[in-house]
Amino acid sequence: MALDQLNWKILRCLQDNARMSNAEIGRRVGISSPAVSERIKRMEDLGIIEGYKAIVSPFDIGYQLKAIITLRAFMGKLKPFLEKVRSLDEVVNCYRITGDENIVMEVVLKDHKHLEAFIDQLIVYGESKTQIVLSGVVKQRSLIPIK
């Protein structure tokens, strides 16, 4: 499906506020609420819109540390790690990457003791490097720039 200008505008509205009503989106893009609903449904069916989520502030629910951790997997340990990482609740994002390390993770933790225990879990899989996040520079946003 090629996205036309209306679909791009609808996507921008949803990225700004995924809870925006179809009526409000319609007012902003110049079409009826049923037409917005139909376009959104089609984009969902085609996988263009993958889902909706609430973004929770980890700091406000007791997670005082955010860290970026890279892992250089030991020989034969990458696949076991890729299975394990899905069960680690602290991991917000995890990417397999190129370069000296195999993995980069964004994690949230309660405190330095929690960080230490988390790193201890990684030791069997490879060599890790940890950087503590001091502050955010760019607010979480879509991976795709909307026209």
Side-chain angles (χ1 to χ4, degrees):
M1 169 184 184
L3 295 178
D4 63 16
Q5 282 299 93
L6 283 175
N7 286 341
W8 283 110
K9 288 178 182 179
I10 291 168
L11 288 173
R12 168 57 77 194
C13 289
L14 290 173
Q15 285 186 323
D16 289 343
N17 179 1
R19 297 181 70 183
M20 189 181 298
S21 71
N22 289 345
E24 177 60 25
I25 294 171
R27 276 191 289 281
R28 290 183 184 203
V29 304
I31 60 175
S32 70
S33 177
V36 169
S37 180
E38 181 180 313
R39 284 173 175 264
I40 290 173
K41 174 79 170 104
R42 182 137 193 249
M43 288 188 284
E44 289 170 345
D45 290 345
L46 292 170
I48 293 168
I49 298 174
E50 294 180 343
Y52 304 88
K53 64 181 177 179
I55 299 171
V56 178
S57 168
F59 302 109
D60 291 331
I61 59 170
Y63 290 84
Q64 299 304 307
L65 285 178
K66 184 178 274 193
I68 304 299
I69 301 177
T70 58
L71 181 76
R72 178 186 228 173
F74 295 141
M75 186 69 73
K77 293 293 186 172
L78 181 59
K79 284 190 180 187
F81 175 78
L82 294 174
E83 293 172 14
K84 174 70 174 173
V85 72
R86 289 176 176 84
S87 69
L88 300 173
D89 293 334
E90 298 89 348
V91 178
V92 176
N93 288 304
C94 180
Y95 302 98
R96 191 168 173 189
I97 59 171
T98 61
D100 291 335
E101 287 86 16
N102 307 96
I103 299 292
V104 64
M105 295 173 278
E106 177 185 359
V107 299
V108 292
L109 307 133
K110 293 180 180 174
D111 54 33
H112 70 280
K113 288 186 184 255
H114 190 183
L115 173 61
E116 183 177 16
F118 183 81
I119 292 170
D120 287 347
Q121 293 180 74
L122 302 178
I123 291 172
V124 298
Y125 298 102
E127 179 184 327
S128 66
K129 292 180 187 173
T130 302
Q131 295 88 32
I132 302 297
V133 174
L134 299 176
S135 63
V137 177
V138 175
K139 183 179 176 182
Q140 184 174 2
R141 60 182 174 196
S142 169
L143 297 175
I144 309 241
I146 301 298
K147 295 180 180 178

